[in-house]
Amino acid sequence: MCLSSATTVVSKPDAAEEPALVAKASSMTREEVRMRAHPDTFLLIIIGERIYDCTRWQAHHPGGALTIRALCGKDATEPFNTTHPAFVKKGGLKGFYYAELKDGKTAIDKATIAYRELTVQMEDAGLFETDYTYYYFLWARLALMFSCVVAGVTLSDKLWVHALSGAMLGLFWQQTAFVGHDLGHNGISHDRKIDSIMGLFFGNFCTGIGIGWWKRGHNVHHIVTNSVDYDPDIQHLPVFAVSPRFLESPIFSTWYNATLALNKSAFFFVGIQHWIYYPVMAFARFNLYVQSLLHAFGLGAYDIKEKVYRRDLQIATLAGFWTWLVLLTLALPTWTSRVVFFILAHNVAGILHVQITLSHFAMPSYEGVTYDDSANGFLFTQMAGSMDVDCPLWMDWFHGGLHLQVVHHLWPRIPRHNLRKVQKIFISFCKEYPHLPKYHRYGFVEANCVMLHKLKETAKTATSFSELFEDSINMSG
């Protein structure tokens, strides 16, 4: 979901000059890496006990340049290991080696070391492997759902059948989006090319949400979860603000390369955000359509030089989606049926947007990027910024793995049918290390209440900040 409206667009900087060759150092400390690194000219990251120079590579990174830039000068060990397959981890970094890390182990606590060891154990146990039978049955269920939609549209002239068909289409979109999410993490075939092609079908063609646009933001979200200036998944001004920080002063979004809107409209909508949350979610999908098309055509905030996977297929599959959706809607006999069908489909699909935002809106946020040491490292950052939603086992299909956000963020490549097993392992892990942030778990209703309370508390600050905003405008005017 993306509701940000960036009104003050920062002029694009001139293309950075080709980075000058820097003599390789034999070793560096973490502080030296932090001080010397620069995302444009000297993009150093730490992985394990080595330092790598990714300055030239960032523009070609399949996961997007923004993910690497966010980690500039930081310890990227966990972000790298959790998002890359074994063959990349074994030999993919040789060409980027720059120096050894002097204080490699001094800033790593026992919980982080244990987390790394646990990850290896789970890989050896086969928890990262896909059970294709699970997906065969899932895809058969999706095909049956869509067949019911087509049958309801073409074989009946009753309004209630058309309404039911629209609701079924919305549920189809919700369930198909979960498959797109799995593919976006290379979590089905674990082959980037295969999962990307499948993502074009399940994402672009079936749902109208561009997999290229989605991955661009979602990869960053997983790295800098709940960072007010880096994470696009919580940058929703002028409609929502999950923290008073969004209202204190204008925030420059590194994702939009623009300053987020902070005006009278923002203060008004944020002031009532806990009342309008669900109505907005019911229609939020239309914004995702727009963002997907802008990204595919390289317009607006996406009018920048960056690597886009098969832009031609991105556009073609999005065009395919709109073709079948328009034809299916027009196949209905009356305009009443068409409007009811179309609106209900999007309203029901809005459940997905509640599920997407639920696990992060209620959690603490911060400014900048963490990963300086274990005190704010990957394990701590992901646990602090995410929560799980408890539900009965038989309801897992409805949530599509999004209810297990904490374990998903810690191990994003694990297939969703193994997340329940991983959750049990992680609960035991947390008991061994009580100094870790609280592992937040709530039932679905309680989670909604916690999230709405957070929105309401932030809304209360909108009035006071609005007065300060007015005063600053008057003083400057």
Side-chain angles (χ1 to χ4, degrees):
M1 172 184 160
C2 163
L3 291 171
S4 290
S5 173
T7 56
T8 307
V9 180
V10 177
S11 58
K12 298 175 191 174
D14 296 333
E17 297 180 0
E18 190 72 13
L21 293 176
V22 181
K24 290 188 176 181
S26 58
S27 61
M28 298 172 67
T29 64
R30 291 177 184 272
E31 181 63 18
E32 288 172 337
V33 173
R34 188 183 69 81
M35 294 297 295
R36 294 186 60 187
H38 188 281
D40 292 328
T41 58
F42 198 28
L43 205 168
L44 297 179
I45 61 174
I46 299 168
I47 299 178
E49 297 181 32
R50 292 187 171 186
I51 303 161
Y52 298 90
D53 182 358
C54 298
T55 311
R56 299 173 186 270
W57 169 244
Q58 59 178 306
H60 309 284
H61 182 226
L66 293 176
T67 55
I68 300 181
R69 293 176 68 85
L71 293 167
C72 180
K74 303 289 184 175
D75 190 330
T77 304
E78 274 68 47
F80 175 80
N81 287 337
T82 58
T83 57
H84 292 81
F87 77 92
V88 176
K89 289 186 281 188
K90 288 180 180 178
L93 292 172
K94 292 180 180 179
F96 308 108
Y97 174 74
Y98 180 76
E100 294 293 319
L101 185 65
K102 288 182 181 179
D103 50 353
K105 293 183 178 180
T106 57
I108 303 175
D109 72 342
K110 292 182 179 180
T112 299
I113 294 174
Y115 165 72
R116 295 177 181 179
E117 294 172 348
L118 179 61
T119 301
V120 174
Q121 293 170 9
M122 291 196 299
E123 288 178 336
D124 293 340
L127 290 174
F128 283 77
E129 297 175 6
T130 300
D131 178 2
Y132 288 101
T133 304
Y134 172 87
Y135 282 100
Y136 294 150
F137 280 105
L138 173 56
W139 294 335
R141 188 172 75 239
L142 291 176
L144 179 61
M145 291 172 66
F146 192 74
S147 298
C148 290
V149 173
V150 174
V153 168
T154 59
L155 301 180
S156 175
D157 58 358
K158 291 182 172 59
L159 179 60
W160 70 268
V161 175
H162 301 156
L164 191 61
S165 298
M168 180 65 75
L169 179 59
L171 191 61
F172 168 81
W173 282 336
Q174 181 229 20
Q175 291 293 304
T176 305
F178 297 146
V179 178
H181 177 257
D182 297 342
L183 291 166
H185 283 291
N186 299 327
I188 296 183
S189 75
H190 305 291
D191 183 298
R192 182 169 57 86
K193 291 182 179 180
I194 295 175
D195 282 351
S196 294
I197 291 295
M198 292 174 66
L200 288 172
F201 173 75
F202 284 100
N204 296 42
F205 184 77
C206 289
T207 72
I209 309 302
I211 192 70
W213 167 79
W214 178 83
K215 288 182 69 172
R216 182 182 190 268
H218 198 68
N219 289 341
V220 177
H221 162 69
H222 266 263
I223 300 297
V224 286
T225 307
N226 275 26
S227 168
V228 296
D229 47 342
Y230 279 82
D231 185 358
D233 279 17
I234 63 168
Q235 294 176 348
H236 302 308
L237 283 177
V239 182
F240 296 125
V242 300
S243 166
R245 175 61 188 90
F246 284 101
L247 306 175
E248 292 174 3
S249 60
I251 291 178
F252 182 82
S253 166
T254 59
W255 197 80
Y256 288 102
N257 191 34
T259 301
L260 300 177
L262 188 59
N263 47 37
K264 290 183 179 179
S265 296
F267 288 110
F268 171 75
F269 285 118
V270 171
I272 59 172
Q273 63 181 354
H274 50 299
W275 294 108
I276 65 173
Y277 172 77
Y278 293 111
V280 170
M281 294 299 107
F283 293 95
R285 190 175 192 84
F286 292 102
N287 184 64
L288 272 62
Y289 291 151
V290 173
Q291 298 298 324
S292 296
L293 290 170
L294 289 175
H295 177 263
F297 285 99
L299 301 173
Y302 313 106
D303 182 19
I304 56 178
K305 186 178 181 181
E306 65 176 346
K307 182 182 180 67
V308 177
Y309 174 75
R310 293 303 304 267
R311 191 185 294 273
D312 57 338
L313 292 181
Q314 297 279 350
I315 295 172
T317 46
L318 287 174
F321 166 79
W322 284 106
T323 299
W324 73 253
L325 179 58
V326 169
L327 291 176
L328 186 65
T329 304
L330 292 177
L332 290 162
T334 67
W335 277 105
T336 300
S337 289
R338 292 165 186 166
V339 171
V340 169
F341 171 83
F342 192 82
I343 295 299
L344 266 179
H346 288 81
N347 291 166
V348 172
I351 296 170
L352 171 67
H353 306 296
V354 174
Q355 293 170 311
I356 290 172
T357 58
L358 187 59
S359 292
H360 300 293
F361 270 25
M363 305 308 291
S365 57
Y366 57 94
E367 197 162 0
V369 181
T370 53
Y371 306 142
D372 296 309
D373 51 43
S374 288
N376 67 358
F378 184 80
L379 181 59
F380 285 73
T381 299
Q382 300 304 330
M383 289 188 68
S386 308
M387 73 173 176
D388 280 356
V389 177
D390 279 338
C391 72
L393 181 62
W394 58 270
M395 281 295 290
D396 278 3
W397 70 273
F398 179 73
H399 293 286
L402 295 189
H403 57 308
L404 301 174
Q405 279 289 295
V406 177
V407 290
H408 167 64
H409 267 252
L410 292 173
W411 295 283
R413 290 188 301 109
I414 287 185
R416 75 165 108 146
H417 54 74
N418 285 334
L419 289 178
R420 281 276 185 178
K421 299 176 184 177
V422 173
Q423 185 188 44
K424 293 180 180 179
I425 295 172
F426 186 64
I427 289 173
S428 299
F429 177 87
C430 291
K431 292 178 180 179
E432 296 180 26
Y433 301 96
H435 68 289
L436 290 173
K438 179 183 176 182
Y439 177 22
H440 293 274
R441 299 165 59 200
Y442 304 99
F444 184 68
V445 174
E446 184 182 8
N448 274 266
C449 292
V450 171
M451 180 268 299
L452 288 174
H453 177 74
K454 176 72 173 294
L455 293 180
K456 183 178 180 180
E457 290 301 304
T458 304
K460 290 179 181 178
T461 68
T463 302
S464 57
F465 282 124
S466 178
E467 294 172 353
L468 292 174
F469 176 77
E470 291 284 355
D471 291 342
S472 65
I473 293 296
N474 293 332
M475 290 177 64
S476 63

